[in-house]
């Protein structure tokens, strides 16, 4: 019923499961999670993620380089390499890419160039691009527009309505994480209320940003229904309805070309 559209399966804290990722995924399934998209932060992540996806029919993954990586790592993500890696059937998206000026402004030009290459690869391969933005909303929107990117997700959304509307107008989906459930996130919930329901996705971004009532603890895919719960209050829908709607939205995104 619920799709975790953004989880870092290679970074999860598996101590509660004796180091067994399969057990963690199974517990999430028992809580209603029916699909998982494992996210890469480095090109080499595809090795482990492809092995995970091969074992689990309900797991797909992305290929790409996070904007917080160093310049040399970002330079490895050429359009040709991204397209090559993204040919695999279980690769559902490119990324996570984007811009992050919060953690570093040292490699801004490299971040922008790498972001553009991910978009170009996504356009060639006709798979969505997963976009991260932090302290860089204007440049992020500018690049999406300039590169005519129409097929993507602005993940872990925490920005204002102006930013949301800009990427929605480009054809993007908006993905909400556990942040939308935080008590001090009313402004974000007010923005979420304006996002059309057919363009909303949910995610954990695990192992980060656990939703209420687990805020401050290590996050994992089994908590994605709590994100749906926060949005059910926003949209005046049941948790189950939010789960079904966002799951269908994800299927629509993957079918888009």
């Amino acid at each position: 019923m619920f799709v975790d559209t953004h989880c870092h399966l290679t970074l999860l804290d598996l101590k509660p499961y004796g180091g067994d990722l399969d057990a963690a995924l199974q517990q999430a399934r028992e809580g209603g999670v029916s699909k998982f998209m494992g996210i890469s932060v480095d090109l080499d992540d595809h090795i482990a993620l492809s092995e995970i996806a091969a074992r689990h029919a309900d797991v797909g993954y992305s290929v790409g380089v996070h904007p917080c990586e160093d310049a040399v790592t970002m330079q490895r993500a050429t359009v040709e390499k991204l397209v090559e890696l993204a040919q695999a059937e279980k690769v559902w998206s490119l990324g996570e890419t984007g811009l992050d000026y919060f953690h570093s402004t040292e490699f801004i030009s490299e971040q922008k160039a790498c972001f553009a290459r991910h978009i170009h690869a996504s356009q060639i391969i006709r798979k969505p691009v997963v976009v991260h933005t932090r302290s860089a909303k204007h440049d992020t929107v500018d690049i999406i527009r300039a590169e005519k990117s129409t097929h993507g997700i602005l993940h872990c959304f925490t920005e204002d309505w102006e930013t949301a509307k800009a990427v929605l107008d480009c054809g993007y989906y908006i993905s909400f994480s556990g942040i939308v459930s935080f008590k001090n996130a009313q402004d974000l919930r007010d923005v979420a209320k304006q996002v059309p329901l057919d363009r909303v996705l949910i995610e954990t971004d695990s192992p980060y940003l656990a939703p209420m009532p687990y805020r401050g603890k290590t996050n994992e895919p089994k908590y994605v229904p709590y994100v749906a719960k926060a949005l059910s209050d926003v949209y005046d829908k049941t948790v189950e309805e939010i789960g079904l709607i966002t799951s269908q939205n994800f299927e629509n995104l993957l079918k888009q070309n």
Side-chain angles (χ1 to χ4, degrees), residues 10-186:
T10 59
L11 301 176
L12 297 183
D13 178 7
L14 298 175
K15 295 187 191 72
Y17 304 98
D20 186 358
L21 174 63
D22 293 359
L25 294 176
Q26 183 56 34
Q27 188 161 120
R29 293 184 190 104
E30 291 170 4
V33 184
S34 58
K35 191 165 286 190
F36 312 79
M37 183 157 73
I39 300 295
S40 291
V41 296
D42 181 277
L43 279 185
D44 293 337
D45 286 342
H46 82 276
I47 299 169
L49 288 171
S50 65
E51 292 173 352
I52 295 167
R55 297 199 309 270
H56 300 281
D58 53 5
V59 174
Y61 63 102
S62 72
V63 293
V65 175
H66 194 285
C68 287
E69 295 296 315
D70 61 77
V72 172
T73 301
M74 283 187 275
Q75 288 164 4
R76 291 181 59 214
T78 64
V79 174
E80 294 76 15
K81 187 63 176 177
L82 290 167
V83 168
E84 175 192 339
L85 294 177
Q87 298 287 346
E89 181 181 356
K90 295 299 288 286
V91 173
W92 291 344
S93 65
L94 283 295
E96 85 185 82
T97 182
L99 304 175
D100 192 314
Y101 301 166
F102 178 83
H103 288 101
S104 174
T105 56
E106 187 177 355
F107 304 118
I108 287 179
S109 62
E110 289 86 350
Q111 287 188 36
K112 289 180 176 180
C114 190
F115 184 15
R117 293 195 299 272
H118 280 75
I119 290 174
H120 296 165
S122 79
Q123 291 165 334
I124 292 168
I125 205 70
R126 295 187 176 184
K127 293 181 181 182
V129 62
V130 179
V131 177
H132 167 110
T133 185
R134 191 166 183 190
S135 301
K137 61 184 180 182
H138 297 299
D139 284 354
T140 299
V141 170
D142 286 348
I143 290 175
I144 289 171
R145 285 173 170 162
E147 302 299 337
K148 297 180 172 56
S149 180
T150 61
H151 190 191
I153 305 169
L154 195 58
H155 106 93
C156 193
F157 188 84
T158 57
E159 303 296 345
D160 53 20
W161 170 242
E162 179 185 12
T163 305
K165 186 177 186 307
V167 299
L168 287 166
D169 287 347
C170 290
Y172 271 52
Y173 287 70
I174 301 286
S175 183
F176 293 97
S177 70
I179 293 174
V180 76
S181 72
F182 294 176
K183 292 179 181 178
N184 62 350
Q186 187 56 49

Side-chain angles (χ1 to χ4, degrees), residues 1-4 24-36 58 202 221-226 228 239-240 242-244 246-247:
M1 179 187 301
F2 304 100
V3 176
D4 188 350
L25 294 176
Q26 183 56 34
Q27 188 161 120
R29 293 184 190 104
E30 291 170 4
V33 184
S34 58
K35 191 165 286 190
F36 312 79
D58 53 5
I202 55 176
K222 73 176 182 180
Y223 293 148
V224 76
Y226 291 95
V239 176
E240 291 76 17
I242 293 296
L244 291 171
T246 54
S247 295

Side-chain angles (χ1 to χ4, degrees), residues 218-230:
T218 300
N219 202 3
E220 56 182 287
K222 73 176 182 180
Y223 293 148
V224 76
Y226 291 95
V227 181
K229 172 62 172 69

